[in-house]
Amino acid sequence: MKIPVMEVFGPTIQGEGMVIGQKTMFVRTAGCDYSCSWCDSKFTWDGTGRSVSKQPIDIIEELKSIGGEAFSHVTISGGNPALHKGIGELVDLCHENGWKVGVETQGSIWQDWMPKIDDITISPKPPSSGMVTDFEKLDGFLQKLNDSNASLKVVIFDEEDFKYAEDVHLRYPGVPFFLQTGNSDTATTDDAHLTATLLERYEWLIGQSIRSAIMNDAKVLPQLHALVWGNKRGV
Ligand SMILES: C[S@@+](CC[C@H](N)C(=O)[O-])C[C@H]1O[C@@H](n2cnc3c(N)ncnc32)[C@H](O)[C@@H]1O
Ligand SMILES: Nc1nc2[nH]cc(C(=O)O)c2c(=O)[nH]1
Ligand code: SF4
Ligand SMILES: [Mg+2]
């Protein structure tokens, strides 16, 4: 079953969340059921980017031709990869090649291939995104991932987002929990200014987390790739 692919790139490092620093290839799918105000990958859903529908076996060949032998991990992101049934086949083929697979998704759509993922990040969206979380849906989602290597990651822009993150963490105390600095200028090419701003926001987020008894077990992370490469695409 074909998958609409926006870009395939790497090897790079996973810049976010539960396997931050892991060398990985990326497959970025097209389309999203959300439209977050601050989405750093709007080109996957706002009509400005172009996707190509590809068979899973052809994506495998592309990964090999771009990455050679210098990788053992593939991250599938988007857009929302959960829109695409065909990813199950892609995951099986990655595993047959001995590669581990990570997925980034917001937890709004379930697919039966999800429990097969080696590291799956569920990133429910805080109020600043303009999206509203269906918590009953998210309950079922995380229940089905009970035996999987899953984590929650919430992007934070302000105090209201932080409060939302506390609620999420309290609701799912057994799920590894990550706080991530929000990038509010996803267009700038002034890397020095962006880095300074992001580090300032990271320090602010660390402060919030230090003061919160609810966040005693949370990990606070920046988007490492944004600190290293700014808003550049394909890294
Ligand atoms: C582009 S999304 C694609 C996967 C999926 N749609 C999701 O949101 O989880 C990948 C990750 O980037 C995060 N993200 C998107 N825009 C961001 C921004 N401006 N600053 C920080 N993180 C952002 C999302 O929250 C998500 O965790
Ligand atoms: N290096 C790197 N790490 C990432 N982690 C999550 C990403 C994403 O866009 O989903 C991403 C990305 O685009 N690049
Ligand atoms: S859910 Fe993810 S890809 Fe979709 S708009 Fe939000 S951040 Fe962007
Ligand atoms: Mg990104």
Side-chain angles (χ1 to χ4, degrees), residues 7 9 11-17 20-22 24 26-28 40-41 43-44 75-79 81 103-105 153 180 223-226 229 232-235:
E7 54 186 8
F9 62 89
T12 180
I13 51 116
Q14 167 57 279
E16 306 178 12
I20 192 167
Q22 167 71 50
T24 187
F26 273 86
V27 176
R28 191 182 300 285
D40 62 10
S41 305
F43 60 92
T44 62
T75 306
I76 306 170
S77 186
V103 161
E104 305 266 339
T105 188
K153 177 176 76 184
Q180 174 166 301
Q223 281 184 300
L224 198 50
H225 53 102
W229 295 295
K232 199 165 130 195
R233 245 177 83 174
V235 289

Side-chain angles (χ1 to χ4, degrees), residues 97-115:
N97 277 278
W99 310 329
K100 290 200 165 154
V101 182
V103 161
E104 305 266 339
T105 188
Q106 63 265 37
S108 56
I109 299 172
W110 174 260
Q111 287 285 354
D112 287 334
W113 47 256
M114 286 178 171

Side-chain angles (χ1 to χ4, degrees), residues 64-86:
K64 285 181 182 169
S65 91
I66 298 172
E69 305 236 307
F71 70 96
S72 61
H73 188 279
V74 177
T75 306
I76 306 170
S77 186
N80 188 1
L83 287 167
H84 315 296
K85 241 189 168 37

